[in-house]
Amino acid sequence: QYAVSTFLLYLRVSGQFHLVVGMLQLFGFHLPETHHRYFLAASFTDFWRRINIYWKDFMLKVFYYPVYFKLRKLGTTQAMIISTILVFVTTWFLHAYQWFWLRGSFLLTTPDVLFWTILGILVVINALWEERRGRKRSLTKSAWDSRQVASVSLSTVLTFTTICILWSLWTSESLTAWVSLWSFADEKPVTDSGLMPWVLVGAVVLNRTAPSLGKAGAHEKEARFFQRFPAETLASLVLLSLLGIQEIYTKLGPQAATLVNSLRSGKLSRLDNAKLERGYYEQLMQVDRFNSQLWEVYTKKPINWLDVQGTGLEKFTGDFMQKELLPSFVAVTSYGPVRTNRWGMRDKDYEKEPRPGSFRMALLGASSVMGWGVRDSETFETLLEERLNGEDMAVGYSRYEILNFAVPGYQPLQQLPALEKAFTFRPNAVLYVAASREAHRCSLYLAEVVRKAIPIPYDYMRETAQKAEIDAKTPESIALRRLLPFRDEMLSWLYRRIVQACREQGVVPVWIFLPMILEDPWQDDTASLLQAAHDAGFVVINLVDVFRNQDLKALRLAEWDTHPNVRAHQLIASSLYSAIGEKRDNIFLARLAR
């Protein structure tokens, strides 16, 4: 399903080409079609002729024919082989140059090189076969018999299958990721995809036996259909227009309305959202391979988006934490300076010991909590602290301090050493800010530290890695699959350990859920996260509705960057202040034994 669907996504590209040519037709430019039934190609040379016809014609006229006729004295076969290879090498290079032109970096990946190499070899072999066997051409309608239909149908299915496999390789991030993908094939039977091969075969046979395919110039007759039947064409356009009106398609039922709405809106897939989410936490801004819509999003991002000028903002620790912010550092970014205090926090310069009569809170989180993309005075932590000190909570404290221990890219497991650091500042409460897919990110980080051979200071995590049979040589995708049965257990262990550590220190553990600013924010696991936090003993604050009824695109830094902007930080601070007020008895008045 994945391999076939990946290739089917090219319909979006060819569909845009058809729309462009169709619009030009309206202005009198009678351009030929750009693609012609490329899913029904019966050979690799046939596929090359059908897909992106303009590109194929360009390569033939500019590269293939000039080289072929210059080398023809070497022999027809040698000239054809060299010319074809040159065409595919040039095609690969120009695609890579296109990436350089759009992104500023030259695309040179193993999947990209392998795709064009294998496809070029298959086309050369196919061309040699056609040269020896010959291609059947006819100016009249050909009579198709059952043997010919079966032969062409089988060739079409095999060609389509091969292209699907190659396409899945082309769109993979790495060769290792692609190889690990196929390791899922022998896991268990995929019962819900059993009909797909038969549907594919049936579609091919039906199209191959259709009378229009056996006629010369059939596509011209199909093109004249809309001219011959204007009433039907107008009725179809009116029907499509009506279906695009929300007041009408919502009356068709929830399922039909959901389907129409998904077809009308261009949203990122869940796989693309997962990549955006990973960039959200890990600052993965240089991405090599995407699906088309995610690629379009990232091509709009400037190369130096939010780059830190100078030596950088972080330093490596060499242990399980891996990194932390530099102390007493000023980093210059495009949105303003980022200042850290002498303790390596993006915050004011607090003393090690809290002032008498103050209530100190340690804030744990990742880049959104640290305030990536806004000024020092615009983070929700700063706004919340100012409001707590400016308004009376009526709990008997004269001052409130929030110490921001958040670091960009921190995963949940990294909050354990961050918590130990926070305890040295003697907080009264710990505010752990969680987002979606906490369990997945636990397994993601465990796989990372095992792969990097970083010592793991926690017995449970070492035992989990041994049970999952992962080591430094295990590819990430395989390690994540092997850790899948342990994800929820790891998260529960993490939450219980944080709560236990807080109770031993006499600190109130507060768990805050903060959703990401995405159209599909992966909130399907919110209920399980809330339950895990509650079972562990946290004081739970759920901000799942903090961005409700808001224009999400107006709340993030940019289309390609889902970090909260100034307005979003203001909303978070306001909602969090109200939630803390509702839980003030559990937070400020709690009496825990040291």
Side-chain angles (χ1 to χ4, degrees):
Q1 280 182 330
Y2 176 80
V4 172
S5 300
T6 301
F7 182 37
L8 294 182
L9 285 174
Y10 187 73
L11 280 172
R12 186 169 182 267
V13 177
S14 62
Q16 289 176 334
F17 278 42
H18 285 303
L19 287 174
V20 171
V21 172
M23 293 177 67
L24 291 174
Q25 294 268 358
L26 296 175
F27 292 92
F29 298 96
H30 299 291
L31 299 177
E33 60 183 351
T34 61
H35 298 71
H36 182 65
R37 291 174 178 159
Y38 48 92
F39 289 155
L40 296 177
S43 65
F44 300 108
T45 52
D46 190 28
F47 175 78
W48 180 251
R49 298 184 192 104
R50 290 169 176 264
I51 193 168
N52 206 340
I53 299 172
Y54 287 16
W55 180 267
K56 180 262 300 181
D57 291 342
F58 164 70
M59 297 304 295
L60 287 177
K61 294 176 182 178
V62 177
F63 296 99
Y64 182 85
Y65 288 134
V67 175
Y68 175 81
F69 286 111
K70 280 184 179 277
L71 300 178
R72 198 173 184 182
K73 58 184 178 181
L74 301 176
T76 304
T77 301
Q78 290 83 348
M80 183 185 65
I81 293 175
I82 296 174
S83 301
T84 304
I85 293 175
L86 175 64
V87 164
F88 278 89
V89 171
T90 307
T91 299
W92 162 79
F93 175 80
L94 291 178
H95 275 80
Y97 172 74
Q98 180 189 36
W99 185 269
F100 171 78
W101 183 62
L102 293 170
R103 296 290 301 123
S105 59
F106 199 79
L107 180 61
L108 183 61
T109 63
T110 302
D112 197 56
V113 174
L114 282 177
F115 172 79
W116 291 111
T117 301
I118 296 174
L119 182 59
I121 292 173
L122 292 175
V123 170
V124 168
I125 295 174
N126 213 156
L128 292 175
W129 174 270
E130 288 183 355
E131 182 189 25
R132 295 180 181 179
R133 297 288 299 269
R135 289 176 59 201
K136 294 183 179 180
R137 296 178 174 88
S138 175
L139 297 177
T140 60
K141 177 182 176 181
S142 59
W144 283 52
D145 55 26
S146 58
R147 179 179 298 179
Q148 186 179 7
V149 170
S151 175
V152 175
S153 298
L154 179 60
S155 300
T156 303
V157 171
L158 293 177
T159 301
F160 182 84
T161 303
T162 305
I163 295 299
C164 286
I165 295 174
L166 283 177
W167 212 272
S168 67
L169 169 64
W170 194 28
T171 55
S172 295
E173 294 183 358
S174 65
L175 183 61
T176 303
W178 183 77
V179 172
S180 64
L181 168 70
W182 293 97
S183 63
F184 285 88
D186 58 356
E187 280 285 303
K188 59 182 179 179
V190 186
T191 55
D192 59 343
S193 63
L195 291 177
M196 180 170 287
W198 301 108
V199 172
L200 174 62
V201 172
V204 170
V205 173
L206 179 63
N207 278 277
R208 283 303 182 188
T209 55
S212 61
L213 288 181
K215 298 179 181 180
H219 58 280
E220 286 89 351
K221 294 185 178 181
E222 293 175 2
R224 291 197 297 268
F225 171 85
F226 298 102
Q227 299 175 3
R228 295 169 54 192
F229 302 99
E232 289 83 349
T233 302
L234 181 60
S236 301
L237 292 174
V238 171
L239 178 61
L240 290 174
S241 300
L242 292 176
L243 286 177
I245 301 176
Q246 186 176 9
E247 289 75 7
I248 294 179
Y249 68 75
T250 52
K251 296 181 180 180
L252 301 177
Q255 293 183 346
T258 301
L259 175 62
V260 173
N261 186 63
S262 65
L263 293 175
R264 292 181 68 249
S265 58
K267 294 183 178 180
L268 296 178
S269 68
R270 287 202 161 190
L271 178 62
D272 292 339
N273 270 328
K275 292 183 178 180
L276 272 181
E277 177 202 13
R278 194 164 179 181
Y280 180 90
Y281 287 101
E282 303 175 33
Q283 301 294 309
L284 296 179
M285 298 303 180
Q286 299 298 329
V287 187
D288 291 329
R289 310 294 300 173
F290 324 105
N291 289 332
S292 58
Q293 282 189 276
L294 186 59
W295 181 84
E296 291 175 6
V297 169
Y298 270 96
T299 52
K300 300 174 184 177
K301 180 179 77 69
I303 295 298
N304 59 346
W305 172 253
L306 296 185
D307 281 353
V308 175
Q309 300 176 14
T311 57
L313 185 62
E314 301 166 340
K315 68 174 182 178
F316 295 101
T317 61
D319 54 13
F320 190 77
M321 184 185 289
Q322 289 203 65
K323 63 180 181 179
E324 61 184 2
L325 298 181
L326 287 168
S328 303
F329 185 78
V330 179
V332 179
T333 68
S334 57
Y335 62 86
V338 177
R339 297 179 177 87
T340 60
N341 60 21
R342 53 178 161 162
W343 312 114
M345 293 181 284
R346 190 189 186 186
D347 214 328
K348 292 179 291 188
D349 192 35
Y350 297 97
E351 296 296 332
K352 197 84 170 183
E353 295 289 330
R355 295 181 181 180
S358 65
F359 190 91
R360 173 171 285 188
M361 292 171 277
L363 184 64
L364 305 180
S367 53
S368 61
V369 181
M370 176 260 198
W372 189 257
V374 298
R375 298 178 183 274
D376 296 336
S377 60
E378 296 171 339
T379 66
F380 75 81
E381 175 266 329
T382 301
L383 299 175
L384 176 62
E385 185 181 76
E386 291 177 353
R387 188 169 180 182
L388 286 172
N389 287 301
E391 301 180 19
D392 186 11
M393 265 287 179
V395 290
Y397 292 97
S398 59
R399 179 181 173 83
Y400 300 90
E401 297 177 342
I402 304 177
L403 279 62
N404 194 346
F405 290 90
V407 176
Y410 263 20
Q411 301 286 24
L413 292 179
Q414 287 172 287
Q415 303 300 348
L416 284 175
L419 179 66
E420 296 173 3
K421 178 181 178 181
F423 283 152
T424 63
F425 289 81
R426 299 187 61 189
N428 302 98
V430 168
L431 308 181
Y432 177 97
V433 180
S436 301
R437 305 180 75 210
E438 289 266 294
H440 170 73
R441 292 190 288 115
C442 283
S443 60
L444 191 69
Y445 190 72
L446 180 58
E448 178 185 341
V449 295
V450 170
R451 188 171 63 256
K452 293 180 178 179
I454 296 174
I456 302 175
Y458 309 106
D459 294 337
Y460 170 79
M461 284 297 157
R462 290 196 300 268
E463 294 171 0
T464 301
Q466 293 175 356
K467 291 178 182 178
E469 299 180 350
I470 62 174
D471 54 30
K473 298 181 180 179
T474 307
E476 181 186 66
S477 54
I478 295 178
L480 291 177
R481 179 157 57 92
R482 292 178 180 176
L483 287 170
L484 184 61
F486 305 95
R487 293 196 313 187
D488 294 336
E489 182 183 320
M490 281 193 292
L491 183 64
S492 298
W493 172 86
L494 171 65
Y495 284 177
R496 291 196 304 270
R497 187 177 180 92
I498 292 176
V499 171
Q500 180 183 356
C502 287
R503 287 174 175 171
E504 292 174 353
Q505 297 289 330
V507 176
V508 180
V510 181
W511 184 89
I512 302 169
F513 178 77
L514 180 63
M516 292 181 298
I517 311 177
L518 291 170
E519 283 79 5
D520 180 14
W522 295 86
Q523 293 181 11
D524 51 350
D525 66 342
T526 305
S528 61
L529 288 179
L530 290 168
Q531 188 63 46
H534 182 272
D535 294 343
F538 278 105
V539 176
V540 177
I541 293 178
N542 185 10
L543 299 183
V544 68
D545 295 327
V546 63
F547 303 128
R548 188 177 296 277
N549 300 323
Q550 298 287 333
D551 181 7
L552 295 183
K553 293 182 179 180
L555 295 178
R556 54 195 185 206
L557 291 182
E559 184 180 2
W560 54 84
D561 192 332
T562 58
H563 289 89
N565 60 17
V566 175
R567 173 57 181 160
H569 275 272
Q570 294 172 353
L571 291 174
I572 296 171
S574 177
S575 297
L576 190 53
Y577 177 83
S578 300
I580 289 177
E582 295 175 1
K583 301 277 186 177
R584 61 172 175 257
D585 292 345
N586 304 96
I587 298 175
F588 300 113
L589 303 180
R591 294 291 183 265
L592 300 178
R594 289 186 178 271

